[in-house]
Amino acid sequence: MMWRTLRLRTQLAAAMILAILLAILFGYVGLNLFARWQEQMMLNALDPVARQTLMEVNAGGRPPAAAAVALYKERVRIAQTIDHEQSVLLIGLAALASMFGIAVGLALATRLARPIEAVSHAARAITSGDLSARAAEGPPGAGELRQLLSDFNSMAEALEAYDRDLREGSAAIAHELRTPLTILRGRLQGQLDGVFATDGPAIAALIQEVDLLARIVEDLQTLSLANTGRLELNVRLADMALLAATHLHALEPILATAGMRLETRLAPTLVEMDEQRLGQVLLALVDNARRHAATGGVVEVETKIDGASALLIITDRGPGLPSHEPDQVFRRFWRGEPSRSRVHGGSGLGLAVVKAVVEAHGGTVLAGDRPDGGAVFHVQLPRQQRRGKA
């Protein structure tokens, strides 16, 4: 940004200096041309005797004294006339140069003011609540001013998107919290009224809803910390394959209950990572396959090293992802199809948390379709990364 500001100032200074130099050059050339024309006109205005005497003097001759005196007087008169006319011309040229400078200044001021006024007008509209306002782009101007308009409009678009996500997210959070809270209240009220028995299964069902509420709150906290750059990572060198094997061993009974079997290709993969956070990523991706791809019967987990990167690949054989913008699955509370509805459980935050944790590690996560059917989630992490805050 600093070099852009310096460049704009340099352009303005150069334009002002150019205007001054042009005015001086215009005055100098105009004054010299006028002087030559004036001299020729005065020479032609001399009477024949004075002209002949001037020619003799210029040729080195000695004209009569009376003729020389008359020529001298004539030349004094001509010089006075020339001085007077040149003074008038100089005033006129100064006026023209001033007008030229004013015109250049107004042109520069207009060029500067137009985009600034557009930004100011849009800023006032945004302040009043119209987040769709944008700074109108006019005729091409200085590159820095065009960049100012572009940056302002990009900021306005980001602000509008943030406001939209905030409103949609607030509504989605309210919806997600309402369901378990309604269930909790209904069951507790039923137990209080004696409609439901207060036994082990009933209490277990209540705990399940409480766990869902706790998971939603925890996921929201993770996303909030990631969005503000304050997600803490306890990074150390560990084997992703060993981490995956430990978690998958615990998940096998759950997958078997859903009618799925687990296939693994876990090559040793040493990487600097937060094991708890990466375990959260693995669990979320496998659980996503369990909930949405159980019909495929298989979930595959692979870890391997690819140069300076560590890869975690989760593949299922279910219906796959929506055909439009697969990355939409990482949005908070996003559900593209009825098959990804609340019927399958989950808070709608799992994949958003996956993306936040992976990016906090300096990595990327991509979603795509398996060639033979199903979905593929591809997590890529740098094997060495910055420790501390995300």
Side-chain angles (χ1 to χ4, degrees):
M1 182 61 69
M2 179 63 69
W3 72 268
R4 289 178 179 170
T5 303
L6 292 176
R7 184 180 172 189
L8 179 59
R9 292 177 179 176
T10 301
Q11 288 180 343
L12 291 175
M16 294 176 65
I17 293 172
L18 179 61
I20 293 172
L21 291 177
L22 287 175
I24 293 174
L25 180 62
F26 177 71
Y28 177 79
V29 172
L31 192 60
N32 277 275
L33 290 177
F34 181 75
R36 292 182 183 180
W37 174 82
Q38 206 176 29
E39 182 179 355
Q40 187 62 42
M41 291 298 294
M42 292 300 177
L43 185 61
N44 293 335
L46 291 175
D47 59 75
V49 176
R51 189 182 299 115
Q52 182 63 35
T53 302
L54 180 61
M55 292 174 62
E56 289 181 10
V57 171
N58 290 337
R62 297 178 62 86
V69 171
L71 178 61
Y72 173 77
K73 292 180 178 180
E74 188 68 16
R75 292 187 66 176
V76 169
R77 183 187 65 81
I78 291 173
Q80 292 176 345
T81 303
I82 290 175
D83 288 343
H84 174 72
E85 292 182 351
Q86 286 184 351
S87 297
V88 174
L89 176 65
L90 190 60
I91 294 173
L93 289 176
L96 289 175
S98 299
M99 293 175 62
F100 177 75
I102 291 173
V104 172
L106 287 175
L108 288 174
T110 301
R111 188 184 186 193
L112 286 173
R114 186 178 294 115
I116 294 174
E117 288 174 353
V119 170
S120 177
H121 178 75
R124 286 195 298 271
I126 290 175
T127 302
S128 65
D130 182 11
L131 297 181
S132 64
R134 299 292 182 269
E137 298 186 9
E144 291 75 13
L145 296 177
R146 289 199 304 271
Q147 188 63 44
L148 171 65
L149 291 175
S150 177
D151 290 345
F152 178 85
N153 287 336
S154 297
M155 180 199 68
E157 290 174 3
L159 182 62
E160 184 179 20
Y162 174 78
D163 179 72
R164 182 173 59 252
D165 290 343
L166 181 63
R167 286 186 281 105
E168 292 176 355
S170 298
I173 291 171
H175 174 75
E176 293 296 330
L177 293 177
R178 184 181 299 114
T179 300
L181 287 174
T182 301
I183 294 174
L184 277 172
R185 189 184 188 286
R187 289 181 178 176
L188 289 172
Q189 185 66 47
Q191 291 177 4
L192 181 63
D193 295 340
V195 177
F196 299 137
T198 306
D199 53 14
I203 295 176
L206 294 177
I207 292 175
Q208 184 178 2
E209 295 301 326
V210 173
D211 288 342
L212 176 58
L213 285 172
R215 187 163 66 251
I216 291 175
V217 172
E218 182 180 354
D219 288 345
L220 287 172
Q221 182 185 30
T222 299
L223 292 174
S224 176
L225 291 173
N227 289 338
T228 57
R230 296 186 292 113
L231 181 61
E232 295 283 352
L233 296 179
N234 183 20
V235 176
R236 73 179 189 90
L237 186 64
D239 188 353
M240 188 187 295
L242 181 60
L243 175 71
T246 302
H247 285 288
L248 292 176
H249 178 71
L251 286 175
E252 278 190 293
I254 301 175
L255 293 173
T257 302
M260 302 183 75
R261 74 175 188 274
L262 186 64
E263 295 183 359
T264 60
R265 291 187 296 278
L266 305 178
T269 309
L270 288 176
V271 58
E272 290 185 347
M273 63 179 177
D274 184 323
E275 292 182 88
Q276 182 178 356
R277 294 292 187 185
L278 260 295
Q280 187 179 7
V281 167
L282 175 67
L283 292 174
L285 291 175
V286 173
D287 187 62
N288 180 74
R290 178 189 64 82
R291 288 186 288 110
H292 303 305
T295 55
V298 176
V299 57
E300 303 172 15
V301 180
E302 179 180 5
T303 61
K304 63 180 180 179
I305 292 175
D306 183 12
S309 299
L311 303 181
L312 170 65
I313 304 171
I314 312 293
T315 308
D316 64 56
R317 299 179 187 177
L321 299 174
S323 59
H324 60 287
E325 300 184 15
D327 288 343
Q328 291 291 319
V329 298
F330 296 109
R331 288 181 56 190
R332 290 181 298 173
F333 303 112
W334 183 86
R335 292 184 174 92
E337 298 176 359
S339 64
R340 295 181 179 269
S341 66
R342 187 63 175 271
V343 174
H344 295 276
S347 65
L349 293 170
L351 294 182
V353 171
V354 166
K355 183 177 177 66
V357 171
V358 170
E359 290 182 349
H361 280 78
T364 58
V365 55
L366 300 176
D369 286 324
R370 180 173 174 270
D372 296 330
V376 179
F377 289 86
H378 191 278
V379 176
Q380 181 174 2
L381 301 176
R383 297 181 64 192
Q384 294 182 345
Q385 54 190 279
R386 178 172 59 87
R387 299 174 184 272
K389 289 184 178 182

